[in-house]
Amino acid sequence: MRKLFIVMLSLLFFRYSLTAQDLSYYLPDSVTYDPSIPKPKDIIYHEVGEWHVTHDRLVNYMKAIAAAAPQRVKLETMGLTYEKRPQVLLIITSARNHQRLEEIRQQHIKLTDPAQSASVRIDDMPVVVWIGHSIHGNEPSGANAALVSAYYLAAAQGNRINELLDNVVILFDPSFNPDGLQRFSTWANQHKSKNLVSDPNSREFNEVWPGGRFNHYWFDLNRDWLPAVHVESQNRLNWYHRWKPNILTDHHEQGSNATFFFQPGVPSRVNPLTPAKNQELTAKLGKFHAQYLDRIGSLYFTKENYDDFYYGKGSTYPDVNGAIGILFEQASSRGHLQQTSNGLLSFPFTIRNQFVTTLSTLEGARVLRKELLQYQSDFYKNSLAEAAASPAKGYVFGTGMDKTSMSLFVEMLRRHEIEVIKNQTDILVDSHLYRGNQSFLVLLEQKQNKLIRSIFEKTLSYKDSLFYDITSWTMPLAFGLPYSLLTATQLKAEYRKDLIVDRLPPPPLAKSDYGYLIPWSDLAAPAVLNELLVKGITVKVATAKFEFMLGGTVTKFDPGTLLVPVQYQSLRSDDLYDVLHALLRKYDIQGYTVQSGASVSGVDLGSSRFAVISKPSVAMIVGPGVNATDAGEVWHLLDQRMNISASHLEQSVFNRVDLSKYNTLIMVGGTYSELNKEKLKAWVQAGGTLIVTEEAVSWASQSGITDIKFKKAKVAVDSTQKLSYTDREQNDGAQQVSGAIFGADVDITHPLAYGYDHSTVSLFKANKVFMEKSKNPYATPFYYGTKPLQSGWVSKENGEVIKNSAAVIVTTVGNGRVISIGDNPNFRAFWLGGSKLFMNAIFFGRIIDAASGRTE
């Protein structure tokens, strides 16, 4: 009878853990709580884990907590997302610390400044911990656990919580990705049954495309900490550097059949710039996580699967900023209750693990407080000492050709508190001349030395051949900017640190009754062109070089230069000038006034080598099968940077609509099994321009739309070598192209290369699409030579096959063109050097005559 009672009690507890709907399931039972603090159900109308909390209700609860416990909690709004949801941050600490909060913040800033850190006493200085949740919106246990954590930190009573709050300032971020969380919570809740369905095949567990993982533009925000392209990242980084936290937690979810992961990750995949002490402290914190998870009987693992290499993630960005980044990965229930290989996995169970590891992090921070503070101080001191001892003293970068890309790069550097100085004198490095007042300097002897090196350095040697994310992100190459490392001898020119690096507006445009010229070299030039075309203004593009006498000086103009003739326009001369002048000021681009069509040399303005540009009417294929991040990068580029409207067509919609309204179609990486290939081919033959990237290149060839051939890597297997079963993952993984940078040789006279001023363009490759060069000598304007690898890991076999392969091929199909780009030219929206190629394909694809290599 007693055994039966125990079995029944165990079953009752198991059932309770699956459907737990009150706070007692989560909270420590040895703590009393302030009854004046509202519980989550009082504000969000349901128990934690009963439903998925929506972002608006999550924010409402944070506001309620701040209002009810002002002595412990202060609420700040970091900014707004694209969809105008607030990014809130709770600052949680003791009443005593709140009274001197600004003083504590200033102490932490001083601690990261080697010139001032010696004056900071850490004996009674609180440690700062940033608790961050659910940067992937469909990994919701973190954001839902934030409800429990916020309640506990505001309402718990007793010496234990008092001691914690006296020693820790908590920056509490309930949702890294508000837009994604709202999208996913809506999906999960609208498919919940009263009688919970646990079948993984059920609709509740299978979101529609693109899912809730991403932000508004379908971006993975956990890859955006370093490039900081998106407003969510920019808002968060502003507050990160206001406080310089000592620990940042990043609460994620993983596959449903896993358990729970916490760092350290795979030891061989730690970025070499990360100090050993960082991993030592990470391991010490790990002991607290293990202890707390053991108490509740949760399984976990560590030092597997996940790495600390790419500094653009939430768990690694702190590592290069003198802090400890902690990744938590909870097996995901995705909905409310799911059957897994480990049994039934409930949403409340996933929330509890996230809450418990929040507590373990805070306890570890309290115990290790002085060690963490001392590490942060030493990190910046040592970084500065390493810089002083190194023969490398800084970097010079920039060009006067593309001020927009250069400004965005400088803005990105300064967002990470990297000092940037305007270069005053000409500097010649390896036959490249960096003009004074057209280039910039970043000195290595500054506290962000390690982060600077991470941004600028190329990496070609690695301890491991498996990577969780990309293997290289050399940012000047990504932005398409020339740059060079400087020694002390090369940096002999005087410089002033107080020089303003803000961009100066171009000189005003003079009025003309003949025409205007606009160089195509600036990243923003396509945005100007688009607005002109939208207004019905006729614009031509030069397909050959020419020179004009302007202001007594001969000025050279390259192919791609835009000509806006005054005649043949529907606008009056004065109105045309007003429109053009306003656009050039809006985008900070210089235009030139011409009073005659006669050039000094090269083609005249009335030549047939000036082709009329038609307004692109763009559609992109999206939906199931399409890589959402690739599509999001195109959407962001067109919508945010270029102000171009583009239709998004799902494959089923494409199959039934009239395509005649579109002259440009875009297909990014993915699978297109439901697309009507014959309809697409007929549209191209009728004169359409099809732009395909990555796996879509292979699909177009397999579908008979192009005749492109592909190269394949030959992986030799040594039959005499004895391999164990456990070697398989390492060997297979080494043959993946995780993401590396390759330099493509470019025919800069080709319309797809307009705007480039150098014959090598850096492209990012994260696939195994290796195109053979076209037999047409004019149809491969971008191709890889014999030594294309610039930075990153690639296996010997893949390295061989990419040599002498094509990066871009133009194929004539009837009256239309297919532009095949084997790589991702818009990678993560910061690969601006490739975005120029992509915009050329949109605007100039229709003027390419691939058969003869001439324009029509």
Side-chain angles (χ1 to χ4, degrees):
M1 186 70 180
R2 185 172 180 274
K3 288 183 179 179
L4 179 61
F5 174 75
I6 293 173
V7 169
M8 291 178 65
L9 188 64
S10 298
L11 290 172
L12 181 64
F13 176 77
F14 177 68
R15 179 65 183 171
Y16 175 72
S17 71
L18 296 182
T19 61
Q21 293 180 3
D22 62 71
L23 285 175
S24 62
Y25 173 70
Y26 306 101
L27 294 171
D29 56 10
S30 58
V31 179
T32 60
Y33 297 92
D34 183 347
S36 69
I37 304 300
K39 295 180 179 179
K41 185 180 180 181
D42 300 331
I43 306 300
I44 67 172
Y45 310 114
H46 61 81
E47 294 287 359
V48 175
E50 181 184 5
W51 297 87
H52 285 248
V53 70
T54 57
H55 184 261
D56 54 328
R57 292 186 179 185
L58 179 64
V59 170
N60 286 344
Y61 185 65
M62 297 303 143
K63 289 180 178 179
I65 285 287
Q71 71 282 3
R72 285 189 184 180
V73 183
K74 180 182 180 182
L75 185 142
E76 300 280 2
T77 300
M78 295 183 287
L80 302 176
T81 68
Y82 286 114
E83 296 177 14
K84 301 307 177 185
R85 291 189 175 88
Q87 293 176 261
V88 298
L89 185 73
L90 302 186
I91 303 177
I92 306 174
T93 190
S94 66
R96 185 184 66 168
N97 286 340
H98 269 295
Q99 291 173 0
R100 59 188 191 98
L101 199 60
E102 180 59 18
E103 176 190 340
I104 294 172
R105 189 184 74 82
Q106 290 292 348
Q107 283 182 323
H108 272 268
I109 298 301
K110 289 181 180 179
L111 195 66
T112 65
D113 183 355
Q116 302 183 74
S117 58
S119 65
V120 178
R121 293 182 68 256
I122 65 172
D123 292 344
D124 60 351
M125 182 179 180
V127 68
V128 177
V129 180
W130 189 303
I131 304 292
H133 304 88
S134 301
I135 202 162
H136 297 141
N138 63 355
E139 298 177 4
S141 57
N144 283 265
L147 295 164
V148 186
S149 302
Y151 174 76
Y152 173 83
L153 293 170
Q157 296 176 319
N159 293 334
R160 190 178 186 87
I161 187 68
N162 291 339
E163 185 179 1
L164 173 68
L165 296 180
D166 277 340
N167 287 280
V168 184
V169 173
I170 304 163
L171 305 177
F172 193 82
D173 192 337
S175 173
F176 277 147
N177 180 5
D179 295 347
L181 180 69
Q182 186 75 15
R183 192 182 313 129
F184 177 75
S185 61
T186 301
W187 175 268
N189 289 336
Q190 72 183 24
H191 292 97
K192 179 191 175 187
S193 298
K194 180 184 72 172
N195 299 293
L196 297 184
V197 176
S198 61
D199 179 6
N201 298 317
S202 187
R203 185 171 168 84
E204 180 181 358
F205 309 106
N206 297 278
E207 304 166 77
V208 294
W209 192 94
R213 179 182 178 90
F214 311 113
N215 78 340
H216 175 79
Y217 282 101
W218 311 333
F219 267 74
D220 185 338
L221 289 176
N222 195 42
R223 306 302 190 267
D224 195 45
W225 284 76
L226 194 58
V229 169
H230 296 283
V231 292
E232 297 94 338
S233 304
Q234 294 167 11
N235 294 336
R236 190 186 323 114
L237 282 172
N238 181 34
W239 278 86
Y240 182 97
H241 287 292
R242 281 191 191 184
W243 274 96
K244 305 288 188 183
N246 301 97
I247 297 174
L248 184 143
T249 65
D250 194 11
H251 291 260
H252 284 255
E253 290 184 355
Q254 56 185 323
S256 300
N257 292 321
T259 58
F260 190 91
F261 168 84
F262 57 83
Q263 287 176 312
V266 179
S268 60
R269 301 182 209 164
V270 176
N271 194 296
L273 292 174
T274 301
K277 182 68 174 180
N278 171 284
Q279 293 296 289
E280 179 186 325
L281 286 167
T282 302
K284 286 185 176 182
L285 288 167
K287 292 180 179 179
F288 288 89
H289 308 322
Q291 184 183 48
Y292 275 56
L293 290 169
D294 285 342
R295 287 178 187 172
I296 60 173
S298 287
L299 297 174
Y300 54 83
F301 65 98
T302 185
K303 297 181 182 178
E304 295 180 48
N305 296 355
Y306 302 97
D307 62 41
D308 294 302
F309 191 77
Y310 171 53
Y311 282 136
K313 298 185 294 182
S315 58
T316 50
Y317 183 77
D319 295 343
V320 78
N321 280 278
I324 310 299
I326 301 293
L327 172 66
F328 294 123
E329 292 275 358
Q330 164 64 47
S332 179
S333 67
R334 275 299 183 264
H336 294 84
L337 180 68
Q338 185 175 168
Q339 184 67 50
T340 74
S341 60
N342 293 315
L344 287 171
L345 178 63
S346 74
F347 189 36
F349 179 84
T350 68
I351 294 170
R352 185 173 65 161
N353 282 344
Q354 301 281 24
F355 167 66
V356 165
T357 47
T358 292
L359 296 188
S360 65
T361 300
L362 294 175
E363 177 62 11
R366 184 191 68 79
V367 173
L368 301 172
R369 178 183 62 82
K370 289 182 67 174
E371 194 171 356
L372 289 163
L373 292 169
Q374 189 61 56
Y375 168 71
Q376 190 172 51
S377 176
D378 291 343
F379 175 91
Y380 287 103
K381 288 179 183 177
N382 294 339
S383 294
L384 209 55
E386 289 173 14
S390 172
K393 294 303 176 187
Y395 291 94
V396 59
F397 68 89
T399 170
M401 299 292 290
D402 186 354
K403 293 182 179 179
T404 297
S405 293
M406 194 158 61
S407 295
L408 289 171
F409 185 62
V410 170
E411 182 180 290
M412 184 271 295
L413 294 173
R414 297 174 77 183
R415 188 169 284 121
H416 298 294
E417 298 205 330
I418 293 171
E419 296 178 0
V420 184
I421 304 166
K422 181 170 286 187
N423 180 32
Q424 297 171 267
T425 61
D426 291 353
I427 298 178
L428 182 64
V429 184
D430 297 331
S431 74
H432 188 93
L433 181 63
Y434 296 91
R435 294 284 186 185
N437 296 318
Q438 293 185 4
S439 55
F440 296 91
L441 298 171
V442 172
L443 305 184
L444 283 167
E445 288 192 46
Q446 55 177 292
K447 68 178 187 178
Q448 291 290 54
N449 165 267
K450 287 184 179 293
L451 185 54
I452 294 167
R453 290 172 58 191
S454 170
I455 288 171
F456 281 89
E457 285 182 350
K458 298 176 182 178
T459 307
L460 293 169
S461 60
Y462 299 83
K463 290 183 179 180
D464 205 324
S465 57
L466 291 183
F467 299 90
Y468 186 73
D469 202 74
I470 61 177
T471 68
S472 182
W473 55 90
T474 310
M475 303 294 266
L477 296 180
F479 278 70
L481 299 174
Y483 81 107
S484 296
L485 181 66
L486 299 176
T487 63
T489 303
Q490 293 166 321
L491 196 61
K492 61 185 176 182
E494 294 183 1
Y495 53 83
R496 286 174 49 198
K497 288 190 175 182
D498 62 338
L499 277 176
I500 299 173
V501 299
D502 294 331
R503 183 172 170 180
L504 297 176
L509 183 72
K511 184 178 178 300
S512 173
D513 289 322
Y514 193 88
Y516 304 94
L517 298 173
I518 306 171
W520 189 250
S521 54
D522 196 278
L523 177 70
V528 174
L529 173 58
N530 178 67
E531 292 206 33
L532 290 171
L533 296 176
V534 167
K535 294 178 186 296
I537 295 171
T538 298
V539 184
K540 295 185 174 186
V541 60
T543 64
K545 291 182 178 181
F546 60 98
E547 296 181 352
F548 256 75
M549 182 68 70
L550 300 175
T553 303
V554 175
T555 303
K556 296 180 179 180
F557 292 93
D558 292 321
T561 299
L562 303 180
L563 166 63
V564 182
V566 174
Q567 301 300 318
Y568 313 114
Q569 305 285 2
S570 59
L571 295 178
R572 295 185 305 109
S573 175
D574 289 348
D575 294 335
L576 176 64
Y577 169 77
D578 290 342
V579 168
L580 187 56
H581 183 260
L583 283 176
L584 294 176
R585 297 289 289 183
K586 175 181 177 179
Y587 292 102
D588 283 344
I589 290 180
Q590 185 172 1
Y592 297 87
T593 300
V594 290
Q595 304 294 351
S596 169
S599 66
V600 174
S601 66
V603 296
D604 295 322
L605 300 190
S607 168
S608 61
R609 300 304 297 270
F610 280 86
V612 175
I613 305 170
S614 57
K615 176 184 173 295
S617 179
V618 182
M620 176 169 59
I621 309 301
V622 300
V626 177
N627 186 307
T629 55
D630 286 7
E633 289 152 8
V634 173
W635 182 18
H636 179 273
L637 172 67
L638 299 182
D639 194 40
Q640 285 288 325
R641 297 205 191 279
M642 302 301 170
N643 291 317
I644 295 175
S645 298
S647 298
H648 298 161
L649 307 179
E650 295 212 0
Q651 295 183 46
S652 59
V653 175
F654 171 92
N655 292 342
R656 70 170 185 263
V657 300
D658 178 10
L659 298 180
S660 62
K661 65 171 66 176
Y662 312 111
N663 56 29
T664 305
L665 285 176
I666 297 169
M667 297 173 65
V668 298
T671 58
Y672 296 88
S673 56
E674 302 301 318
L675 197 70
N676 187 330
K677 62 186 71 173
E678 294 304 321
K679 181 177 182 179
L680 176 61
K681 186 173 183 178
W683 174 85
V684 177
Q685 289 174 328
T689 298
L690 174 64
I691 303 170
V692 289
T693 67
E694 298 195 278
E695 293 82 8
V697 172
S698 303
W699 179 89
S701 176
Q702 293 165 2
S703 300
I705 298 172
T706 70
D707 58 357
I708 291 175
K709 303 294 188 296
F710 298 90
K711 303 170 71 175
K712 289 189 177 181
K714 297 179 180 178
V715 181
V717 179
D718 185 353
S719 59
T720 64
Q721 185 180 6
K722 186 176 180 180
L723 297 174
S724 66
Y725 181 78
T726 55
D727 292 329
R728 181 177 178 179
E729 179 186 12
Q730 188 74 26
N731 293 333
D732 291 349
Q735 296 305 320
Q736 300 305 311
V737 183
S738 300
I741 307 171
F742 297 88
D745 295 332
V746 181
D747 173 7
I748 60 174
T749 68
H750 195 280
L752 292 183
Y754 287 170
Y756 290 108
D757 63 345
H758 42 280
S759 58
T760 300
V761 172
S762 299
L763 296 175
F764 186 85
K765 190 170 194 68
N767 61 52
K768 299 175 78 170
V769 178
F770 307 116
M771 297 185 290
E772 291 185 0
K773 290 181 180 178
S774 171
K775 293 180 179 179
N776 180 342
Y778 306 109
T780 310
F782 291 68
Y783 57 93
Y784 295 115
T786 57
K787 294 182 178 180
L789 181 63
Q790 293 181 313
S791 185
W793 160 263
V794 64
S795 70
K796 179 180 178 182
E797 293 83 357
N798 287 326
E800 285 299 317
V801 77
I802 197 173
K803 292 178 181 178
N804 299 309
S805 66
V808 180
I809 292 178
V810 181
T811 307
T812 300
V813 180
N815 293 320
R817 307 284 179 269
V818 180
I819 300 172
S820 301
I821 306 173
D823 308 313
N824 182 356
N826 306 307
F827 181 68
R828 292 182 182 169
F830 70 86
W831 217 270
L832 304 184
S835 296
K836 190 169 293 184
L837 158 65
F838 196 79
M839 296 312 301
N840 285 347
I842 290 176
F843 282 106
F844 305 140
R846 286 174 296 284
I847 70 170
I848 300 171
D849 180 356
S852 65
R854 301 179 66 179
T855 54
E856 57 182 19

